[in-house]
Amino acid sequence: MALIDHAAGKVLAEVPTGARPFAVACSPDGKVAAASNLWDGTITMIDLTLPIPKASATIAVGSQPRGLAFSATGREIFVALGGDHAVVRVDTLKATVSHRWDCEGEPRTLVVLPKSGTVVVGSTRSARIRGFDPATGKQLWQRSLHDSFNLLGLAAHPAGDQVVSTFVFHRHHAIARNNIEQGWALDNRVARIRPEPGEDLNYDQIALDSRGQAVADPTGIAYSADGSHMAI
């Protein structure tokens, strides 16, 4: 994993992780980072307080760890396990898994909502976004993005009142040149979901494509610090 000074545009340090690092997260106080290691079934904890950051622990979590995020206190880290169709909560001080719950559909992306602490998980195969209680793992709400796939990006608004996910919408037209040029084959979109109790309530969405200027496979997505802009 590389630590980069984006203002200076230089690499500060490189820290070895496990096999095929997939995602990275940083604790709210900026003292600890974590990387999920897809092929190892582990996460690597990295101490950022040292003059030269280095790995402080390697924790076995399960099959195909992908998205991960710290709690507001930094005491827990939540990890989506695509291979196990589950989510785990890790105690960062004890370096052990403290809780685990099921989450079908190959969970891939994960964020923790500010204020409420709700763990929000995107499952790319089932095309569902779910909210879970961080203490019990109980599902609080669910949204299905119908006729969709490739839910590869997920972000929480700084106010904690909405989440957004990138996805591809299947229009069920032939994958032919004319349909592709007109934007009638596939559609790259962003969904905006309000984390309210219930299942499959309405959600907002916006298309990212314009005629002749389609985007391809939207993946990473993030809000600005004040929540006024998104970067995709």
Side-chain angles (χ1 to χ4, degrees):
M1 186 186 78
L3 282 76
I4 300 171
D5 184 330
H6 62 83
K10 65 178 182 179
V11 176
L12 300 177
E14 291 185 338
V15 181
T17 63
R20 193 63 181 271
F22 182 86
V24 65
C26 189
S27 63
D29 61 9
K31 295 181 178 180
V32 181
S36 58
N37 305 312
L38 184 65
W39 289 354
D40 274 0
T42 64
I43 62 172
T44 301
M45 307 300 295
I46 299 164
D47 188 342
L48 300 178
T49 64
L50 302 174
I52 300 178
K54 67 177 183 179
S56 58
T58 298
I59 306 169
V61 291
S63 177
Q64 297 182 18
R66 293 185 180 270
L68 71 171
F70 282 88
S71 65
T73 64
R75 175 66 191 267
E76 299 90 18
I77 187 166
F78 299 90
V79 188
L81 302 178
D84 285 341
H85 304 282
V87 176
V88 294
R89 184 182 69 218
V90 175
D91 185 316
T92 59
L93 296 183
K94 297 180 180 179
T96 58
V97 172
S98 58
H99 192 45
R100 174 188 176 109
W101 64 84
D102 294 336
C103 181
E104 60 84 28
E106 192 182 330
R108 184 185 182 102
T109 55
L110 186 151
V111 296
V112 175
L113 291 184
K115 299 180 181 179
S116 70
T118 299
V119 179
V120 181
V121 184
S123 294
T124 188
R125 288 191 179 274
S126 62
R128 290 189 174 100
I129 310 290
R130 299 181 181 88
F132 295 95
D133 184 294
T136 65
K138 178 183 177 181
Q139 182 174 305
L140 303 175
W141 52 266
Q142 172 183 284
R143 304 291 182 272
S144 297
L145 306 188
H146 300 289
D147 294 320
S148 302
F149 59 97
N150 281 8
L151 281 65
L152 302 182
L154 186 68
H157 191 276
D161 60 350
Q162 59 183 262
V163 293
V164 288
S165 176
T166 60
F167 68 100
V168 179
F169 180 73
H170 196 330
R171 290 180 173 271
H172 295 287
H173 292 148
I175 307 299
R177 179 174 178 176
N178 180 66
N179 287 339
I180 293 172
E181 290 177 344
Q182 299 299 320
W184 293 342
L186 301 175
D187 198 3
N188 298 280
R189 300 182 179 183
V190 172
R192 181 176 65 185
I193 298 166
R194 302 194 183 280
E196 301 168 346
E199 293 193 8
D200 295 336
L201 303 180
N202 291 336
Y203 57 90
D204 303 319
Q205 54 185 307
I206 184 171
L208 302 176
D209 306 311
S210 57
R211 183 170 295 182
Q213 294 182 326
V215 303
D217 297 326
T219 304
I221 186 168
Y223 277 102
S224 60
D226 64 359
S228 62
H229 293 80
M230 288 187 299
I232 302 169

